[in-house]
Amino acid sequence: MTNVFRKAVRLFTVPIHVLAVWLTFLIALWATHGGAGGVPALCGAIAVAGILWWRSARLTSRRRAIVHGSLMILALAAVAYILVPLAPSSLAPLPVDPSAELWQTGPGRAATVYHYPADTVRSRHTALVFVHGGPGAYVRDIDRAFFASFARAGFDVVLYDQVGAGRSSLVSPDHYTHGNNVRDLAAVLARVNMPTVLVAQSYGATLVTSALANRDIRKQITHLILTEPGRIPGAAFSLDKSMSKKTTHAPDATLSPSAAVMGKLMAPRAMLAAFLPTGNGLASQEELINLYTPDVQHLLVSNSFCKGDTALLNSFHPGRFNLLANARVSRDAGKAATPDLHDMAAPVMMLLGECSYIPRGRAMEYFGVYTTARAHLIPGVGHIVWGNARGQELTRDAIIRFVDGAPGLLPNEPTKATAHLFVESGR
Protein backbone atom coordinates (compact mmCIF):
# COMPACT_ATOMS: atom_id res chain seq x y z
CA MET A 1 0.00 0.00 0.00
CA THR A 2 2.89 2.30 0.80
CA ASN A 3 4.46 1.73 -2.63
CA VAL A 4 1.16 2.46 -4.36
CA PHE A 5 0.87 5.71 -2.41
CA ARG A 6 4.41 6.73 -3.30
CA LYS A 7 3.79 6.04 -6.98
CA ALA A 8 0.63 8.12 -6.85
CA VAL A 9 2.52 10.99 -5.25
CA ARG A 10 5.22 10.81 -7.93
CA LEU A 11 2.60 10.68 -10.67
CA PHE A 12 0.81 13.81 -9.50
CA THR A 13 3.80 15.81 -8.24
CA VAL A 14 4.70 17.40 -11.58
CA PRO A 15 1.10 18.35 -12.61
CA ILE A 16 0.55 19.84 -9.15
CA HIS A 17 3.79 21.81 -9.39
CA VAL A 18 2.89 23.08 -12.88
CA LEU A 19 -0.50 24.15 -11.57
CA ALA A 20 1.17 25.87 -8.61
CA VAL A 21 3.40 27.85 -10.98
CA TRP A 22 0.45 28.97 -13.07
CA LEU A 23 -1.62 29.90 -10.01
CA THR A 24 1.31 31.84 -8.57
CA PHE A 25 1.55 33.81 -11.80
CA LEU A 26 -2.18 34.56 -11.94
CA ILE A 27 -2.41 35.54 -8.26
CA ALA A 28 0.67 37.76 -8.55
CA LEU A 29 -0.70 39.26 -11.78
CA TRP A 30 -3.96 40.08 -10.01
CA ALA A 31 -2.21 41.43 -6.91
CA THR A 32 0.12 43.67 -8.93
CA HIS A 33 -2.64 44.71 -11.41
CA GLY A 34 -0.43 43.48 -14.24
CA GLY A 35 2.16 46.09 -13.32
CA ALA A 36 5.31 46.44 -15.46
CA GLY A 37 3.67 44.36 -18.15
CA GLY A 38 3.37 41.33 -15.86
CA VAL A 39 7.14 40.93 -15.33
CA PRO A 40 6.91 40.90 -11.48
CA ALA A 41 4.29 38.13 -11.71
CA LEU A 42 6.55 36.16 -14.03
CA CYS A 43 9.46 36.57 -11.60
CA GLY A 44 7.27 35.20 -8.81
CA ALA A 45 6.33 32.21 -10.95
CA ILE A 46 10.01 31.56 -11.75
CA ALA A 47 10.88 31.67 -8.06
CA VAL A 48 8.15 29.20 -7.14
CA ALA A 49 9.13 26.90 -10.01
CA GLY A 50 12.76 26.95 -8.87
CA ILE A 51 11.90 26.16 -5.25
CA LEU A 52 9.53 23.33 -6.18
CA TRP A 53 12.03 21.78 -8.59
CA TRP A 54 14.92 22.04 -6.09
CA ARG A 55 12.91 20.36 -3.34
CA SER A 56 11.78 17.58 -5.68
CA ALA A 57 15.21 17.07 -7.26
CA ARG A 58 16.78 16.25 -3.87
CA LEU A 59 14.38 13.34 -3.37
CA THR A 60 14.42 11.70 -6.80
CA SER A 61 16.71 10.35 -9.49
CA ARG A 62 18.66 12.54 -11.86
CA ARG A 63 16.54 11.40 -14.79
CA ARG A 64 13.28 12.33 -13.01
CA ALA A 65 14.77 15.65 -11.95
CA ILE A 66 15.64 16.48 -15.58
CA VAL A 67 12.14 15.55 -16.76
CA HIS A 68 10.61 17.54 -13.93
CA GLY A 69 12.80 20.55 -14.71
CA SER A 70 11.96 20.40 -18.43
CA LEU A 71 8.24 20.40 -17.70
CA MET A 72 8.61 23.33 -15.32
CA ILE A 73 10.44 25.26 -18.03
CA LEU A 74 7.55 24.54 -20.42
CA ALA A 75 5.10 25.76 -17.77
CA LEU A 76 7.09 28.98 -17.42
CA ALA A 77 7.27 29.36 -21.21
CA ALA A 78 3.45 29.25 -21.35
CA VAL A 79 3.32 31.95 -18.69
CA ALA A 80 5.98 34.06 -20.41
CA TYR A 81 4.01 33.86 -23.68
CA ILE A 82 1.22 35.84 -22.02
CA LEU A 83 3.64 38.77 -21.67
CA VAL A 84 4.31 38.92 -25.43
CA PRO A 85 2.30 41.75 -27.10
CA LEU A 86 -0.38 40.58 -29.52
CA ALA A 87 -0.47 43.73 -31.66
CA PRO A 88 1.16 47.18 -31.91
CA SER A 89 0.51 49.49 -28.98
CA SER A 90 0.03 52.60 -31.13
CA LEU A 91 -3.02 53.37 -33.26
CA ALA A 92 -2.77 54.24 -36.92
CA PRO A 93 -4.39 57.59 -37.81
CA LEU A 94 -7.95 57.34 -39.01
CA PRO A 95 -8.83 58.71 -42.44
CA VAL A 96 -10.38 62.17 -42.34
CA ASP A 97 -14.17 62.15 -42.16
CA PRO A 98 -15.55 65.64 -42.88
CA SER A 99 -18.97 64.70 -41.46
CA ALA A 100 -17.56 63.85 -38.01
CA GLU A 101 -17.72 66.43 -35.21
CA LEU A 102 -16.07 66.16 -31.79
CA TRP A 103 -18.37 67.10 -28.91
CA GLN A 104 -17.00 67.49 -25.39
CA THR A 105 -19.07 65.39 -22.98
CA GLY A 106 -17.06 65.92 -19.79
CA PRO A 107 -13.55 66.63 -18.50
CA GLY A 108 -11.13 64.81 -20.79
CA ARG A 109 -14.00 63.09 -22.64
CA ALA A 110 -15.21 63.72 -26.16
CA ALA A 111 -17.64 61.85 -28.40
CA THR A 112 -17.48 61.88 -32.17
CA VAL A 113 -20.88 62.90 -33.53
CA TYR A 114 -22.36 62.37 -36.98
CA HIS A 115 -24.97 65.06 -37.57
CA TYR A 116 -27.48 65.04 -40.42
CA PRO A 117 -29.57 68.26 -40.36
CA ALA A 118 -33.25 67.98 -41.14
CA ASP A 119 -34.56 68.77 -44.58
CA THR A 120 -35.55 72.43 -44.17
CA VAL A 121 -38.81 72.03 -46.06
CA ARG A 122 -39.95 68.96 -44.07
CA SER A 123 -38.40 69.90 -40.73
CA ARG A 124 -40.29 68.56 -37.70
CA HIS A 125 -38.14 70.61 -35.29
CA THR A 126 -37.46 67.29 -33.59
CA ALA A 127 -34.19 65.42 -33.19
CA LEU A 128 -33.63 61.70 -33.66
CA VAL A 129 -30.69 60.52 -31.55
CA PHE A 130 -29.35 56.99 -32.09
CA VAL A 131 -27.50 55.21 -29.26
CA HIS A 132 -25.50 52.24 -30.54
CA GLY A 133 -24.71 48.95 -28.85
CA GLY A 134 -21.53 47.35 -27.63
CA PRO A 135 -20.31 48.56 -25.25
CA GLY A 136 -16.90 49.43 -26.65
CA ALA A 137 -18.35 49.53 -30.16
CA TYR A 138 -19.20 52.42 -32.49
CA VAL A 139 -21.66 53.70 -35.06
CA ARG A 140 -21.28 51.43 -38.10
CA ASP A 141 -21.41 52.70 -41.65
CA ILE A 142 -24.59 50.60 -41.95
CA ASP A 143 -26.17 52.65 -39.14
CA ARG A 144 -25.11 55.98 -40.57
CA ALA A 145 -26.51 55.19 -44.02
CA PHE A 146 -29.84 54.07 -42.55
CA PHE A 147 -30.43 56.88 -40.07
CA ALA A 148 -29.33 59.60 -42.51
CA SER A 149 -32.58 58.87 -44.36
CA PHE A 150 -34.56 60.21 -41.38
CA ALA A 151 -33.11 63.66 -42.04
CA ARG A 152 -34.95 63.64 -45.35
CA ALA A 153 -38.12 62.87 -43.36
CA GLY A 154 -37.62 66.05 -41.32
CA PHE A 155 -35.66 64.81 -38.29
CA ASP A 156 -32.45 66.43 -37.07
CA VAL A 157 -30.38 63.23 -36.84
CA VAL A 158 -27.52 62.74 -34.38
CA LEU A 159 -25.47 59.57 -33.98
CA TYR A 160 -22.32 59.31 -31.87
CA ASP A 161 -19.49 56.92 -31.07
CA GLN A 162 -19.42 56.16 -27.36
CA VAL A 163 -16.20 57.33 -25.66
CA GLY A 164 -13.35 54.87 -26.04
CA ALA A 165 -14.28 53.45 -29.44
CA GLY A 166 -14.81 54.42 -33.06
CA ARG A 167 -13.56 57.97 -33.61
CA SER A 168 -14.24 59.12 -30.05
CA SER A 169 -11.50 59.85 -27.54
CA LEU A 170 -9.76 57.19 -25.50
CA VAL A 171 -9.68 57.72 -21.75
CA SER A 172 -7.99 55.96 -18.86
CA PRO A 173 -9.41 52.41 -18.59
CA ASP A 174 -10.74 53.09 -15.09
CA HIS A 175 -12.99 55.77 -16.61
CA TYR A 176 -14.84 53.26 -18.79
CA THR A 177 -18.00 52.90 -16.74
CA HIS A 178 -21.70 52.62 -17.45
CA GLY A 179 -22.24 55.72 -15.32
CA ASN A 180 -19.84 57.77 -17.43
CA ASN A 181 -21.61 56.58 -20.59
CA VAL A 182 -24.88 57.79 -19.06
CA ARG A 183 -23.32 61.21 -18.39
CA ASP A 184 -21.96 61.33 -21.96
CA LEU A 185 -25.44 60.68 -23.35
CA ALA A 186 -26.86 63.40 -21.10
CA ALA A 187 -24.25 65.83 -22.46
CA VAL A 188 -25.12 64.92 -26.07
CA LEU A 189 -28.83 65.41 -25.41
CA ALA A 190 -28.17 68.74 -23.68
CA ARG A 191 -26.30 69.97 -26.75
CA VAL A 192 -29.05 68.74 -29.08
CA ASN A 193 -31.48 70.74 -26.92
CA MET A 194 -34.74 70.01 -28.73
CA PRO A 195 -37.58 67.49 -28.45
CA THR A 196 -35.98 64.13 -29.18
CA VAL A 197 -36.94 60.73 -30.50
CA LEU A 198 -34.46 58.34 -28.86
CA VAL A 199 -33.55 55.14 -30.72
CA ALA A 200 -31.41 52.66 -28.80
CA GLN A 201 -29.96 49.37 -30.01
CA SER A 202 -28.62 46.44 -27.95
CA TYR A 203 -26.45 47.83 -25.10
CA GLY A 204 -27.72 51.25 -26.17
CA ALA A 205 -31.07 50.25 -24.63
CA THR A 206 -29.31 49.44 -21.35
CA LEU A 207 -27.61 52.83 -21.44
CA VAL A 208 -30.76 54.77 -22.32
CA THR A 209 -32.75 53.00 -19.60
CA SER A 210 -30.29 54.14 -16.94
CA ALA A 211 -30.24 57.68 -18.38
CA LEU A 212 -34.04 57.94 -18.31
CA ALA A 213 -34.03 57.45 -14.55
CA ASN A 214 -33.18 61.18 -14.63
CA ARG A 215 -36.46 63.09 -14.88
CA ASP A 216 -34.79 66.09 -16.54
CA ILE A 217 -33.67 63.85 -19.41
CA ARG A 218 -37.15 62.33 -19.67
CA LYS A 219 -38.65 65.79 -20.29
CA GLN A 220 -36.71 66.07 -23.56
CA ILE A 221 -37.73 62.66 -24.93
CA THR A 222 -40.92 62.52 -27.00
CA HIS A 223 -40.66 58.86 -28.07
CA LEU A 224 -38.40 55.92 -27.18
CA ILE A 225 -37.64 53.09 -29.60
CA LEU A 226 -35.76 50.06 -28.30
CA THR A 227 -34.34 47.92 -31.11
CA GLU A 228 -33.12 44.47 -30.12
CA PRO A 229 -32.44 45.61 -26.55
CA GLY A 230 -29.65 44.08 -24.49
CA ARG A 231 -29.77 43.33 -20.77
CA ILE A 232 -31.66 45.71 -18.51
CA PRO A 233 -29.40 47.63 -16.10
CA GLY A 234 -28.67 45.49 -13.06
CA ALA A 235 -29.95 42.32 -14.75
CA ALA A 236 -29.67 39.28 -12.50
CA PHE A 237 -27.37 36.48 -13.71
CA SER A 238 -29.36 33.59 -15.13
CA LEU A 239 -28.53 30.29 -16.84
CA ASP A 240 -32.11 29.94 -18.05
CA LYS A 241 -32.13 29.25 -21.79
CA SER A 242 -34.29 32.31 -22.49
CA MET A 243 -31.60 34.49 -20.88
CA SER A 244 -28.40 32.76 -21.94
CA LYS A 245 -28.86 31.18 -25.40
CA LYS A 246 -30.25 32.03 -28.82
CA THR A 247 -33.94 31.18 -28.70
CA THR A 248 -35.17 32.22 -32.16
CA HIS A 249 -35.71 29.36 -34.61
CA ALA A 250 -34.72 31.39 -37.69
CA PRO A 251 -30.99 30.80 -38.36
CA ASP A 252 -28.51 33.65 -38.33
CA ALA A 253 -25.45 34.14 -40.54
CA THR A 254 -22.73 33.35 -38.01
CA LEU A 255 -19.46 32.76 -39.85
CA SER A 256 -17.14 29.85 -39.10
CA PRO A 257 -14.05 31.36 -37.47
CA SER A 258 -10.62 30.74 -38.94
CA ALA A 259 -7.80 29.52 -36.70
CA ALA A 260 -6.26 33.00 -36.86
CA VAL A 261 -9.47 34.69 -35.72
CA MET A 262 -10.02 32.18 -32.92
CA GLY A 263 -6.44 32.75 -31.80
CA LYS A 264 -7.18 36.46 -31.40
CA LEU A 265 -10.54 35.99 -29.70
CA MET A 266 -9.22 33.40 -27.24
CA ALA A 267 -5.77 34.92 -26.64
CA PRO A 268 -5.06 34.52 -22.87
CA ARG A 269 -3.25 37.86 -22.76
CA ALA A 270 -6.28 39.72 -24.11
CA MET A 271 -8.72 37.89 -21.84
CA LEU A 272 -6.60 38.56 -18.75
CA ALA A 273 -6.11 42.23 -19.64
CA ALA A 274 -9.87 42.65 -20.05
CA PHE A 275 -10.80 41.04 -16.75
CA LEU A 276 -7.96 42.02 -14.43
CA PRO A 277 -8.72 44.87 -11.99
CA THR A 278 -9.27 48.27 -13.54
CA GLY A 279 -6.09 50.11 -14.50
CA ASN A 280 -3.96 47.00 -14.93
CA GLY A 281 -0.76 47.35 -16.92
CA LEU A 282 -0.68 44.01 -18.70
CA ALA A 283 -1.78 45.20 -22.15
CA SER A 284 -2.73 48.65 -23.36
CA GLN A 285 -6.15 49.40 -24.79
CA GLU A 286 -4.41 50.43 -28.02
CA GLU A 287 -2.94 46.93 -28.33
CA LEU A 288 -6.34 45.33 -27.82
CA ILE A 289 -8.01 47.70 -30.29
CA ASN A 290 -5.41 46.69 -32.90
CA LEU A 291 -6.02 43.01 -32.06
CA TYR A 292 -9.63 43.28 -33.20
CA THR A 293 -8.81 43.39 -36.90
CA PRO A 294 -11.45 43.49 -39.68
CA ASP A 295 -11.64 39.68 -39.91
CA VAL A 296 -12.38 39.45 -36.18
CA GLN A 297 -15.05 42.14 -36.34
CA HIS A 298 -16.70 40.61 -39.39
CA LEU A 299 -17.09 37.39 -37.41
CA LEU A 300 -18.52 39.24 -34.40
CA VAL A 301 -21.05 41.12 -36.54
CA SER A 302 -22.01 38.18 -38.78
CA ASN A 303 -24.58 36.78 -36.34
CA SER A 304 -26.50 40.07 -36.54
CA PHE A 305 -27.77 39.07 -40.01
CA CYS A 306 -29.99 36.23 -41.18
CA LYS A 307 -28.52 33.20 -42.90
CA GLY A 308 -28.08 33.75 -46.63
CA ASP A 309 -28.63 37.51 -46.39
CA THR A 310 -25.19 39.04 -45.96
CA ALA A 311 -24.97 41.79 -48.57
CA LEU A 312 -24.59 44.53 -45.95
CA LEU A 313 -22.26 42.34 -43.87
CA ASN A 314 -19.96 42.02 -46.87
CA SER A 315 -19.91 45.81 -47.32
CA PHE A 316 -19.36 46.52 -43.60
CA HIS A 317 -16.23 48.61 -42.86
CA PRO A 318 -15.00 47.94 -39.30
CA GLY A 319 -13.81 50.73 -37.03
CA ARG A 320 -12.09 50.75 -33.64
CA PHE A 321 -13.59 48.25 -31.18
CA ASN A 322 -12.31 48.57 -27.60
CA LEU A 323 -12.28 45.28 -25.67
CA LEU A 324 -11.29 47.00 -22.41
CA ALA A 325 -14.25 49.38 -22.60
CA ASN A 326 -16.53 46.47 -23.48
CA ALA A 327 -15.50 44.38 -20.47
CA ARG A 328 -15.45 47.19 -17.92
CA VAL A 329 -18.70 48.86 -18.96
CA SER A 330 -20.51 45.52 -19.19
CA ARG A 331 -19.52 44.63 -15.63
CA ASP A 332 -20.50 48.07 -14.39
CA ALA A 333 -23.90 47.98 -16.13
CA GLY A 334 -24.62 44.71 -14.37
CA LYS A 335 -24.27 46.50 -11.03
CA ALA A 336 -26.45 49.48 -11.99
CA ALA A 337 -29.87 50.07 -10.49
CA THR A 338 -32.87 48.85 -12.46
CA PRO A 339 -35.22 51.84 -12.75
CA ASP A 340 -39.01 51.65 -12.83
CA LEU A 341 -40.06 53.81 -15.79
CA HIS A 342 -43.73 52.81 -16.10
CA ASP A 343 -44.77 56.40 -15.40
CA MET A 344 -42.65 57.89 -18.19
CA ALA A 345 -44.68 60.21 -20.41
CA ALA A 346 -42.92 59.32 -23.66
CA PRO A 347 -44.44 56.26 -25.39
CA VAL A 348 -42.17 53.24 -25.91
CA MET A 349 -41.89 50.90 -28.89
CA MET A 350 -39.79 47.73 -29.14
CA LEU A 351 -38.49 46.35 -32.46
CA LEU A 352 -37.12 42.81 -32.68
CA GLY A 353 -35.40 40.90 -35.49
CA GLU A 354 -36.71 37.51 -36.62
CA CYS A 355 -33.37 35.65 -36.54
CA SER A 356 -31.79 37.50 -33.60
CA TYR A 357 -29.00 35.72 -31.73
CA ILE A 358 -29.79 37.64 -28.52
CA PRO A 359 -31.65 35.50 -25.95
CA ARG A 360 -35.25 36.72 -26.20
CA GLY A 361 -35.74 36.71 -22.45
CA ARG A 362 -33.47 39.74 -22.18
CA ALA A 363 -35.78 41.86 -24.33
CA MET A 364 -38.85 40.61 -22.47
CA GLU A 365 -37.45 42.01 -19.20
CA TYR A 366 -38.08 45.52 -20.56
CA PHE A 367 -41.82 44.94 -20.10
CA GLY A 368 -41.01 45.05 -16.39
CA VAL A 369 -39.34 48.46 -16.76
CA TYR A 370 -41.54 50.35 -19.24
CA THR A 371 -45.18 50.55 -20.22
CA THR A 372 -44.64 49.50 -23.81
CA ALA A 373 -47.15 50.98 -26.22
CA ARG A 374 -46.17 48.96 -29.27
CA ALA A 375 -43.85 46.16 -30.40
CA HIS A 376 -43.09 44.65 -33.80
CA LEU A 377 -41.20 41.60 -35.02
CA ILE A 378 -39.36 42.65 -38.20
CA PRO A 379 -39.26 39.65 -40.57
CA GLY A 380 -36.11 38.61 -42.42
CA VAL A 381 -33.63 40.50 -40.23
CA GLY A 382 -31.53 39.79 -37.15
CA HIS A 383 -29.96 41.83 -34.38
CA ILE A 384 -29.51 44.73 -36.81
CA VAL A 385 -33.14 45.26 -37.79
CA TRP A 386 -32.10 47.54 -40.68
CA GLY A 387 -29.76 44.81 -41.94
CA ASN A 388 -31.26 44.58 -45.43
CA ALA A 389 -33.36 46.74 -47.77
CA ARG A 390 -36.69 45.24 -46.65
CA GLY A 391 -35.74 45.58 -42.98
CA GLN A 392 -34.82 49.22 -43.54
CA GLU A 393 -38.14 49.91 -45.19
CA LEU A 394 -40.15 48.21 -42.42
CA THR A 395 -38.12 49.73 -39.58
CA ARG A 396 -38.26 53.24 -41.02
CA ASP A 397 -42.00 52.92 -41.57
CA ALA A 398 -42.54 51.56 -38.04
CA ILE A 399 -40.61 54.43 -36.44
CA ILE A 400 -42.27 57.20 -38.46
CA ARG A 401 -45.75 55.75 -37.92
CA PHE A 402 -45.07 55.47 -34.19
CA VAL A 403 -43.87 59.07 -33.95
CA ASP A 404 -46.81 60.28 -36.03
CA GLY A 405 -49.31 58.34 -33.91
CA ALA A 406 -50.43 56.25 -36.88
CA PRO A 407 -51.22 52.52 -36.56
CA GLY A 408 -48.36 50.16 -37.35
CA LEU A 409 -48.52 47.93 -40.44
CA LEU A 410 -47.06 44.94 -38.58
CA PRO A 411 -48.84 43.04 -35.77
CA ASN A 412 -48.37 44.41 -32.26
CA GLU A 413 -46.29 41.57 -30.82
CA PRO A 414 -45.03 40.61 -28.36
CA THR A 415 -46.93 42.18 -25.51
CA LYS A 416 -46.33 41.81 -21.79
CA ALA A 417 -49.12 39.23 -21.68
CA THR A 418 -47.78 37.16 -24.60
CA ALA A 419 -44.06 37.52 -23.87
CA HIS A 420 -43.58 34.01 -22.43
CA LEU A 421 -45.37 32.32 -25.33
CA PHE A 422 -43.45 34.48 -27.81
CA VAL A 423 -40.13 33.25 -26.39
CA GLU A 424 -41.24 29.62 -26.04
CA SER A 425 -42.38 29.51 -29.68
CA GLY A 426 -38.91 30.54 -30.87
CA ARG A 427 -39.93 33.87 -32.32
Side-chain angles (χ1 to χ4, degrees), residues 212-213 215 218 339-346 369-371:
L212 289 172
R215 291 186 178 273
R218 281 193 235 175
D340 183 347
L341 300 173
H342 286 92
D343 63 344
M344 189 172 74
V369 176
Y370 297 100
T371 300

Side-chain angles (χ1 to χ4, degrees), residues 183-204:
R183 285 182 277 276
D184 291 336
L185 172 58
V188 169
L189 290 172
R191 181 154 173 178
V192 168
N193 193 29
M194 67 171 68
T196 298
V197 174
L198 203 52
V199 182
Q201 196 236 0
S202 196
Y203 163 72

Side-chain angles (χ1 to χ4, degrees), residues 92-253:
L94 292 170
V96 175
D97 185 340
S99 65
E101 307 173 20
L102 204 60
W103 290 12
Q104 295 298 314
T105 58
R109 298 176 69 88
T112 294
V113 170
Y114 309 96
H115 181 208
Y116 301 94
D119 181 293
T120 53
V121 175
R122 300 177 180 176
S123 179
R124 297 166 174 259
H125 305 289
T126 298
L128 185 151
V129 174
F130 172 65
V131 184
H132 68 74
Y138 48 86
V139 175
R140 296 166 293 234
D141 48 358
I142 301 167
D143 307 326
R144 291 175 62 180
F146 173 66
F147 283 103
S149 67
F150 284 87
R152 296 188 288 276
F155 294 95
D156 201 63
V157 177
V158 171
L159 306 86
Y160 73 99
D161 292 332
Q162 290 162 28
V163 171
R167 291 178 172 271
S168 290
S169 66
L170 301 185
V171 295
S172 172
D174 57 342
H175 289 168
Y176 293 130
T177 67
H178 181 66
N180 279 337
N181 279 357
V182 168
R183 285 182 277 276
D184 291 336
L185 172 58
V188 169
L189 290 172
R191 181 154 173 178
V192 168
N193 193 29
M194 67 171 68
T196 298
V197 174
L198 203 52
V199 182
Q201 196 236 0
S202 196
Y203 163 72
T206 316
L207 169 54
V208 161
T209 299
S210 288
L212 289 172
N214 184 324
R215 291 186 178 273
D216 289 334
I217 292 178
R218 281 193 235 175
K219 293 174 183 176
Q220 184 176 341
I221 308 307
T222 65
H223 297 78
L224 173 63
I225 295 100
L226 306 174
T227 74
E228 279 286 303
R231 297 179 186 274
I232 59 172
F237 176 77
S238 174
L239 290 176
D240 186 85
K241 180 184 176 183
S242 68
M243 298 296 292
S244 60
K245 297 179 181 178
K246 172 181 164 71
T247 55
T248 57
H249 291 167
D252 60 53

Side-chain angles (χ1 to χ4, degrees), residues 127-414:
L128 185 151
V129 174
F130 172 65
V131 184
H132 68 74
Y138 48 86
V139 175
R140 296 166 293 234
D141 48 358
I142 301 167
D143 307 326
R144 291 175 62 180
F146 173 66
F147 283 103
S149 67
F150 284 87
R152 296 188 288 276
F155 294 95
D156 201 63
V157 177
V158 171
L159 306 86
Y160 73 99
D161 292 332
Q162 290 162 28
V163 171
R167 291 178 172 271
S168 290
S169 66
L170 301 185
V171 295
S172 172
D174 57 342
H175 289 168
Y176 293 130
T177 67
H178 181 66
N180 279 337
N181 279 357
V182 168
R183 285 182 277 276
D184 291 336
L185 172 58
V188 169
L189 290 172
R191 181 154 173 178
V192 168
N193 193 29
M194 67 171 68
T196 298
V197 174
L198 203 52
V199 182
Q201 196 236 0
S202 196
Y203 163 72
T206 316
L207 169 54
V208 161
T209 299
S210 288
L212 289 172
N214 184 324
R215 291 186 178 273
D216 289 334
I217 292 178
R218 281 193 235 175
K219 293 174 183 176
Q220 184 176 341
I221 308 307
T222 65
H223 297 78
L224 173 63
I225 295 100
L226 306 174
T227 74
E228 279 286 303
R231 297 179 186 274
I232 59 172
F237 176 77
S238 174
L239 290 176
D240 186 85
K241 180 184 176 183
S242 68
M243 298 296 292
S244 60
K245 297 179 181 178
K246 172 181 164 71
T247 55
T248 57
H249 291 167
D252 60 53
T254 302
L255 297 172
S256 297
S258 66
V261 168
M262 283 303 297
K264 294 173 183 177
L265 288 173
M266 303 302 293
R269 176 179 173 86
M271 296 172 72
L272 284 170
F275 293 100
L276 280 172
T278 301
N280 75 81
L282 180 61
S284 69
Q285 58 183 315
E286 291 85 357
E287 177 186 335
L288 299 182
I289 289 171
N290 285 328
L291 179 67
Y292 274 62
T293 48
D295 54 347
V296 174
Q297 294 196 50
H298 269 96
L299 173 70
L300 295 178
V301 173
S302 64
N303 57 6
S304 295
F305 299 85
C306 290
K307 188 174 182 179
D309 185 20
T310 57
L312 283 182
L313 171 63
N314 296 334
S315 65
F316 163 59
H317 294 93
R320 288 176 176 170
F321 176 83
N322 191 330
L323 179 63
L324 280 184
N326 175 273
R328 305 213 187 299
V329 172
S330 295
R331 287 202 297 270
D332 198 46
K335 302 173 188 175
T338 306
D340 183 347
L341 300 173
H342 286 92
D343 63 344
M344 189 172 74
V348 180
M349 177 171 69
M350 184 187 300
L351 300 178
L352 302 173
E354 181 184 13
C355 68
S356 174
Y357 74 92
I358 300 292
R360 274 288 190 245
R362 297 183 187 178
M364 300 304 105
E365 286 197 310
Y366 282 85
F367 287 119
V369 176
Y370 297 100
T371 300
T372 305
R374 191 180 297 185
H376 295 310
L377 179 67
I378 310 295
V381 295
H383 188 51
I384 302 174
V385 295
W386 46 89
N388 60 31
R390 180 62 173 155
Q392 291 175 7
E393 179 184 344
L394 290 172
T395 301
R396 186 184 301 108
D397 180 79
I399 291 174
I400 291 177
R401 283 176 173 273
F402 182 58
V403 173
D404 288 346
L409 293 180
L410 295 170
N412 181 26
E413 60 173 350

